[in-house]
Amino acid sequence: MTPMPTTLAGNSRAANALADLQRDGFAVVPNWLDRAEAEALQPLLDTWIDGHGDRVQHKGDDRVFGAEHISPAIAAFKHDAALEGIAAAYMGSEQKALFTLANRLRATPGKKTRSGGRWHRDRKGRQFKSLVYLTDCVRRNGAFCIVRRSARPEPFTDAIAATSFAFPDVRWDDDEIEPFLARLGDEVVPIEGAAGTLVLFDSSLIHSGLPIRVGHRYALTNYYYAADEIDLARMADKFAPAVQPFEMPHFSRAA
Ligand SMILES: O=C(O)CCC(=O)C(=O)O
Ligand SMILES: [Fe+2]
């Protein structure tokens, strides 16, 4: 096992979260942010999103790439040393957040809106992400949902065979994945939590935001990379529009 980095020594919440992440592919930490601090970001995001439509991506939800530039509290989440320490330990190399995404989901009658789209893996290889809810979040208002230990097929051999599920794929329509999920029971984990709850996950596991049926959901997500993965031109193209052009994070060692 990778040794615990110095940023986690003495931080038992972070050390426990790393252990959960290594075992299950995700970890949940309530009260990572104070409720008041998390909830205070909602009106700030509303004002920003509604005043800067040209720098917000509208894909069902409203997505602000580079939200660290609109609030010091969001910048602090982006640069959180404990999260960088967990990321490094899990990934086996130094990791920095290139940007923080803030997103706002609102239930719209007759429309299936969810954060991040259909059930998917972000990619096939291990990838660390950290997400924090800024509003109380339950299933009906779009909770993040993940299939425990779904990086590899071994725990799911029977369900895969019984439903002919295309497990190695990276994205599925609901009707393709639902028979498989229906066989899994509590391996499919909807993550409900109060405003301020942190969710760490390996985005190569099968996951989705659940479709929002009522109310709203606000969240922040840090996008971590190793130094040699960051191609600023490609990232600018992929995550657009952004609040400001992305800049290379400060890594302690050259790639
Ligand atoms: O915000 C969510 O609930 C999930 C979004 C997602 O798919 C991701 O961050 O990779
Ligand atoms: Fe995703």
Side-chain angles (χ1 to χ4, degrees):
M1 203 194 284
T2 321
M4 206 195 304
T6 47
T7 41
L8 300 191
N11 184 342
S12 60
R13 275 200 316 173
N16 288 338
L18 172 61
D20 288 353
L21 178 66
Q22 285 167 332
R23 189 187 60 235
D24 290 335
F26 70 94
V28 182
V29 188
N31 304 309
W32 188 261
L33 301 182
D34 292 343
R35 168 185 287 283
E37 188 186 2
E39 289 184 341
L41 293 173
Q42 294 173 40
L44 185 131
L45 286 169
D46 284 336
T47 305
W48 205 89
I49 291 169
D50 297 339
H52 302 82
D54 56 329
R55 282 188 273 167
V56 177
Q57 188 191 78
H58 304 284
K59 270 202 180 160
D61 58 345
D62 302 303
R63 302 172 81 77
V64 181
F65 295 109
E68 66 274 19
H69 298 297
I70 69 179
S71 149
I74 299 177
F77 179 65
K78 178 187 173 190
H79 297 292
D80 189 320
L83 298 180
E84 289 178 353
I86 298 170
Y90 186 70
M91 298 298 294
S93 65
E94 187 179 13
Q95 303 279 312
K96 295 281 177 188
L98 176 61
F99 62 86
T100 301
L101 163 72
N103 75 333
R104 176 178 78 178
L105 254 92
R106 295 198 279 204
T108 317
K111 250 181 70 184
K112 200 168 191 179
T113 303
R114 54 213 282 180
S115 178
R118 313 177 275 162
W119 285 94
H120 65 281
R121 311 175 189 277
D122 285 10
R123 66 182 191 193
K124 291 196 177 185
R126 195 174 256 234
Q127 183 166 46
F128 174 83
K129 273 189 171 175
S130 64
L131 176 154
V132 67
Y133 290 146
L134 302 180
T135 44
D136 291 350
C137 196
V138 293
R139 270 176 262 210
R140 65 181 176 280
N141 70 318
F144 173 73
C145 192
I146 190 161
V147 181
R148 180 185 278 120
R149 302 181 195 178
S150 58
R152 312 201 164 281
E154 288 76 22
F156 306 100
T157 316
D158 292 347
I160 293 168
T163 60
S164 307
F165 176 58
F167 188 90
D169 284 2
V170 297
R171 207 163 266 277
W172 306 268
D173 287 335
D174 286 350
D175 58 352
E176 292 171 316
I177 197 170
E178 269 160 9
F180 171 71
L181 296 179
R183 288 186 65 100
L184 300 187
D186 61 10
E187 300 306 297
V188 185
V189 186
I191 299 178
E192 302 191 317
T197 299
L198 175 73
V199 185
L200 306 179
F201 64 106
D202 178 343
S203 65
S204 71
L205 273 69
I206 300 172
H207 65 277
S208 172
L210 295 177
I212 182 165
R213 290 183 274 119
V214 293
H216 52 253
R217 191 199 97 172
Y218 292 59
L220 305 176
T221 306
N222 286 338
Y223 283 62
Y224 292 89
Y225 300 97
D228 63 359
E229 288 180 298
I230 299 178
D231 173 341
L232 287 177
R234 199 173 65 84
M235 302 295 193
D237 212 46
K238 187 167 174 195
F239 303 107
V243 174
Q244 282 181 30
F246 300 141
E247 284 176 22
M248 195 65 184
H250 178 74
F251 286 85
S252 58
R253 287 174 282 113

